[in-house]
Every structure is written in structure tokens, then in C-alpha cells.
């Protein structure tokens, strides 16, 4: 690297203090260290602040801790974190991740190691894998249809240009943020990273480098298939429709295809006697059409 790289890292957390400690320690020990680590605490109630104090982390000038007065969801947390950094900190690049993303200690060094490969890219990311080493391929994707926004996983071991990256180690240039604005806080959870990626690629492709990797200590279940849908799935369905409508190349095609797909899901749930899940999907569709965003009165933690 011929010049100093100034990175600010945003970590959004909620009631996972032990994971947060591990995530912050990995960030502090990066071989290419961020200039600031900003922790956005979504009003945790598990003693997160006390745990950070106990481990002397808030004595570090490197760390900024910002506790919100209510849980505004992961989407709100990322939006708040990026807003804070843009208004208060000097940086060239900003990384985005939750408290369950444990960065390999050379994550940033490997991403920025070969500047000749990075020219023209306004966003970068590495590989995401489970603790057992299995690659989480859905975290890095390539669009195959810009009307339906159907995508496929990127080749996990090949450097490449990609279109969609989760907020699990996505690193974005400040100039891109200035051009496209903040992540959508009104999504509450889920799909905020996909929507943000779709804005990013209007300015620049995303460079994927698998030599950088994150261990994702997630236990997230989608609730798809024969399981009953959870309150979280409401946001996935609603935000998917809103994202697609705002970014598709063909609104008519997108509308017709998704009306068919959502109706098929709803009737499939009803045939199995799962009225609850059918209502989750139906309400998500209605709220997407009506523009009812933010946290739902029906579906929340």
C-alpha cells in the first residue's frame, strides 16, 4: 500500500455482549487498524455497556460507544452509524457489520493490499463463512436479471466484481456515501444492505476479494419452508418488494411476477393450515404497496 488507508468501522449491536467483545477485539487487532471503531448499541438490556467498561474498552481512544434510547433495528443502527461518522469523523472508507461478524486479523490489509486492482471501485468486501469454514455464499451475489432483481451467488474463491453484498464486512468509500446517502433506517431489519448495494452499483461495482474473510457467528433461521414465519420475515418480504420496486428496470414485470409469487406463497401457507404465516406475507405485501415503513405494530421484537 503506497498511502495510508483511513478506515472507520461501524458495529451495530443488540443484546449480544460476548459476541460484541469478540468482534471489537478482532477489529482492534487488525493489521491495518481502523482509525475509529463506532459501536451503535440498539438499547441493549443485557449489560453491554457494563461489559465494555469491565473490559476497559471504553478507555480506548479508538472506540466510540453510542447507545440509542430505543431499538431502531439493524437498519436504523447502520443508518445512525454512517450518519454519525459522516458528520463527525474524518475517513476514506467505512466498514459495516453486526456484532456477530468476527473479522480475520488481515481482513483490511488483504482488501487494500493491491491498489492496482481497486481503481474505480467504490466498495469492497471479503468472504463470509460460518465458524466451521463453510462459505455463506448468499452474502455476496451477482444480479442475473435487472427487471426481477434475481441474483446468484458469486464464485466464493474467485476475485470478481459483484452487485450485492451484505453488511457483513462491506467497506464503502466516503465519496460513494456522499453521493448515495445513508442506508434506509425505515427498513428496521433485513434487506437494507441489498437496497444499499443497489444504490452503490449505480456509482461503482463492488470488488470481492476472498483472501479477506469474516467468521459469521450467526444462528439466524429464515423460517422458510414448512416452518412458521417469524415477525422478522415480515420485514424480509416487505422490504424486498420496496427494494425491487425502487430499483427494477421494469416496474410492470416486477409487479406482475411478485404478485404471482406472493399469492402462491400465501395460498401455499393456507393449504398447510398456517394462517399466521399467510398473514405475515399478506400484510407485508399490503404495507409495501401502501408505503407503511418503519417498525410494524404487529411484527416487532
Amino acid at each position: 500500500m503506497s498511502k495510508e488507508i483511513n478506515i472507520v468501522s461501524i458495529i451495530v449491536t443488540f443484546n449480544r455482549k460476548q459476541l460484541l467483545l469478540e468482534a471489537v477485539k478482532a477489529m482492534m487487532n487488525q493489521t491495518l487498524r481502523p482509525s475509529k471503531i463506532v459501536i451503535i448499541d440498539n438499547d441493549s438490556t443485557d449489560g453491554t455497556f457494563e461489559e465494555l467498561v469491565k473490559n476497559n474498552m471504553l478507555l480506548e481512544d479508538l472506540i466510540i460507544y453510542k447507545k440509542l434510547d430505543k431499538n431502531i433495528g439493524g437498519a436504523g443502527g447502520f443508518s445512525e452509524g454512517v450518519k454519525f461518522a459522516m458528520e463527525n469523523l474524518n475517513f476514506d472508507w467505512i466498514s459495516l457489520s453486526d456484532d456477530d461478524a468476527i473479522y480475520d486479523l488481515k481482513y483490511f490489509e488483504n482488501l487494500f493490499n493491491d491498489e492496482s486492482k481497486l481503481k474505480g471501485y467504490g466498495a469492497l468486501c471479503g468472504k463470509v463463512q460460518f465458524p466451521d469454514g463453510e462459505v455463506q455464499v448468499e452474502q455476496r451475489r451477482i444480479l442475473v436479471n435487472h427487471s426481477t432483481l434475481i441474483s446468484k451467488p458469486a464464485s466464493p474463491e474467485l476475485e470478481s466484481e459483484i452487485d450485492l453484498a451484505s453488511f457483513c464486512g462491506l467497506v464503502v468509500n466516503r465519496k460513494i456515501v456522499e453521493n448515495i446517502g445513508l442506508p434506509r433506517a425505515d427498513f428496521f431489519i433485513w434487506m437494507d444492505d441489498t437496497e444499499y448495494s443497489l444504490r452503490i452499483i449505480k456509482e461503482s461495482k463492488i470488488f470481492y476479494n476472498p483472501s479477506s474473510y469474516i467468521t459469521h457467528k450467526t444462528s439466524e433461521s429464515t423460517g422458510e419452508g414448512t416452518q412458521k414465519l417469524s415477525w422478522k420475515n415480515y420485514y424480509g418480504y416487505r422490504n424486498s418488494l420496496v427494494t425491487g420496486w425502487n430499483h427494477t428496470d421494469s416496474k410492470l414485470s416486477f409487479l406482475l411476477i411478485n404478485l404471482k409469487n406472493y399469492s402462491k406463497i400465501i395460498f401455499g401457507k393456507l393449504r398447510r393450515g398456517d394462517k399466521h404465516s399467510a398473514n405475515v406475507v399478506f400484510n407485508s405485501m399490503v404495507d409495501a404497496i401502501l408505503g407503511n415503513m418503519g417498525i410494524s405494530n404487529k411484527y416487532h421484537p
Side-chain angles (χ1 to χ4, degrees):
M1 289 169 282
S2 61
K3 66 175 183 177
E4 185 177 344
I5 307 293
N6 186 354
I7 305 164
V8 163
S9 292
I10 307 297
I11 301 176
V12 176
T13 189
F14 177 66
N15 281 351
R16 293 193 291 201
K17 60 185 180 182
Q18 294 303 325
L19 271 177
L20 175 64
L21 287 179
E22 189 176 357
V24 173
K25 287 176 182 176
M27 196 67 76
M28 292 172 66
N29 291 314
Q30 288 291 305
T31 53
L32 175 57
R33 200 183 197 196
S35 59
K36 292 291 181 184
I37 300 167
V38 181
I39 300 170
I40 302 295
D41 184 345
N42 251 321
D43 196 26
S44 293
T45 57
D46 67 342
T48 289
F49 174 77
E50 291 77 9
E51 195 69 23
L52 291 169
V53 170
K54 176 182 168 184
N55 285 269
N56 298 318
M57 286 190 168
L58 300 187
L59 297 176
E60 292 272 351
D61 184 57
L62 176 67
I63 296 174
I64 298 171
Y65 173 76
K66 184 175 174 61
K67 184 170 184 178
L68 306 180
D69 59 8
K70 63 179 180 179
N71 183 0
I72 58 176
F78 284 117
S79 186
E80 185 68 25
V82 176
K83 181 176 185 289
F84 176 85
M86 292 296 288
E87 293 178 351
N88 297 281
L89 301 175
N90 176 42
F91 65 91
D92 302 313
W93 298 84
I94 187 166
S95 73
L96 304 169
S97 54
D98 284 306
D99 49 17
D100 58 2
I102 314 302
Y103 287 55
D104 175 69
L105 300 187
K106 288 190 174 184
Y107 188 83
F108 295 126
E109 179 184 337
N110 288 341
L111 273 188
F112 290 97
N113 190 44
D114 189 345
E115 292 179 46
S116 65
K117 294 180 180 179
L118 305 181
K119 290 180 181 177
Y121 289 105
L124 317 170
C125 64
K127 181 169 59 178
V128 182
Q129 60 188 39
F130 291 110
D132 64 2
E134 179 189 352
V135 180
Q136 237 181 320
V137 293
E138 69 273 13
Q139 300 274 342
R140 311 297 188 226
R141 304 185 69 84
I142 299 168
L143 285 174
V144 295
N145 187 312
H146 287 258
S147 294
T148 61
L149 299 184
I150 291 172
S151 62
K152 66 178 182 179
S155 297
E157 303 304 333
L158 295 178
E159 290 184 354
S160 60
E161 289 184 351
I162 65 170
D163 299 301
L164 307 173
S166 69
F167 288 165
C168 192
L170 179 63
V171 184
V172 187
N173 189 274
R174 184 185 187 111
K175 291 179 181 177
I176 297 293
V177 180
E178 289 172 350
N179 290 342
I180 70 173
L182 305 175
R184 287 192 61 162
D186 62 349
F187 275 27
F188 189 64
I189 62 166
W190 291 8
M191 292 299 295
D192 49 324
D193 41 18
T194 297
E195 195 280 332
Y196 206 57
S197 293
L198 289 166
R199 278 190 273 158
I200 289 171
I201 63 173
K202 292 175 181 175
E203 305 283 331
S204 159
K205 284 282 192 178
I206 302 167
F207 182 72
Y208 170 67
N209 182 349
S211 68
S212 294
Y213 70 91
I214 282 172
T215 298
H216 194 199
K217 295 193 171 183
T218 181
S219 58
E220 195 70 73
S221 172
T222 64
E224 297 291 352
T226 59
Q227 299 178 32
K228 281 192 174 183
L229 299 181
S230 76
W231 63 268
K232 294 181 179 181
N233 295 106
Y234 161 84
Y235 295 96
Y237 282 110
R238 183 195 68 180
N239 297 343
S240 292
L241 280 179
V242 171
T243 297
W245 181 255
N246 288 331
H247 292 282
T248 179
D249 286 350
S250 173
K251 290 187 184 299
L252 179 60
S253 294
F254 182 83
L255 178 64
L256 293 175
I257 289 169
N258 280 279
L259 280 175
K260 178 182 177 182
N261 289 343
Y262 276 54
S263 297
K264 183 177 179 181
I265 294 169
I266 291 167
F267 287 117
K269 298 293 185 184
L270 289 173
R271 279 196 300 271
R272 288 194 290 270
D274 188 356
K275 186 177 179 181
H276 164 79
S277 295
N279 283 332
V280 169
V281 181
F282 178 76
N283 289 327
S284 74
M285 185 168 62
V286 170
D287 285 344
I289 292 169
L290 296 179
N292 294 332
M293 301 301 291
I295 188 169
S296 165
N297 290 329
K298 293 181 180 177
Y299 306 106
H300 53 79

